[in-house]
Amino acid sequence: MTSHARITILIVDDHPVVRQGYRLLLEQGGMAVVAEAGDAREAYSAAVEHKPRVIVMDISLPDNSGLDALGRIVAREPDSRVLVFSIHENPVLMNRARELGAKGYLTKRSLPQQMVEAVRLIADGGEYYDCGPAVSQASEGNPLQRLSNREFEIFLLLAKGLSVNQIAEILHISRKTVGVHHTRIMNKIGVDSPALLARLAIRHGLIQP
């Protein structure tokens, strides 16, 4: 078992006050917060530099690339174990986070003690999902389940109103690649306009209207 006193943590959230609250909670639990980050770029750099045992991460970040950052961090630092802490209570988003390497998912309605328990369990090699095992199962008939992880990520960015150029810059890929994914997304989920795409994301609770 991992010694709780030696659990090192990176906190990723775009609100300093929220990060401070997490820090106090986790340090009171005997853990060490070694770094904080406010966006995806800072999160990746901090994960590489500090190599924390657990990363507590909100994937709704201001640079719109939380899922991309999650995948990049796990690929670069496979020993890092990510606990997603999100306002979204959506099984599709939870599944995507899990597929990208997250070891846990808590919603922001969870009790404070649940975060402490989740961090300890994840640091010891386990997984923690406060919505239970159903998170691993796709919702039947949900067209978003047809998307690959990259397509789902681009879908979210398109639904938020970002342009192809903006998405290419955020994800560090070419405009042509984004365009190809855009076409595939529209075909797979059966919509033919940005407005319908955004409406679908709102209906599934992935973005706010």
Side-chain angles (χ1 to χ4, degrees), residues 2 30 35 45 57 74 90 102 110 121 132 140 151 157 162 189 201:
T2 301
S45 297
M57 182 176 186
V74 173
N90 187 288
S110 303
L121 181 61
E140 292 186 7
E151 288 167 350
L157 296 174
L162 275 70
I189 64 179

Side-chain angles (χ1 to χ4, degrees), residues 9 94 96 136 144 148:
I9 299 169
M94 291 186 228
R96 295 298 175 175
S136 65
L144 299 180
S148 69

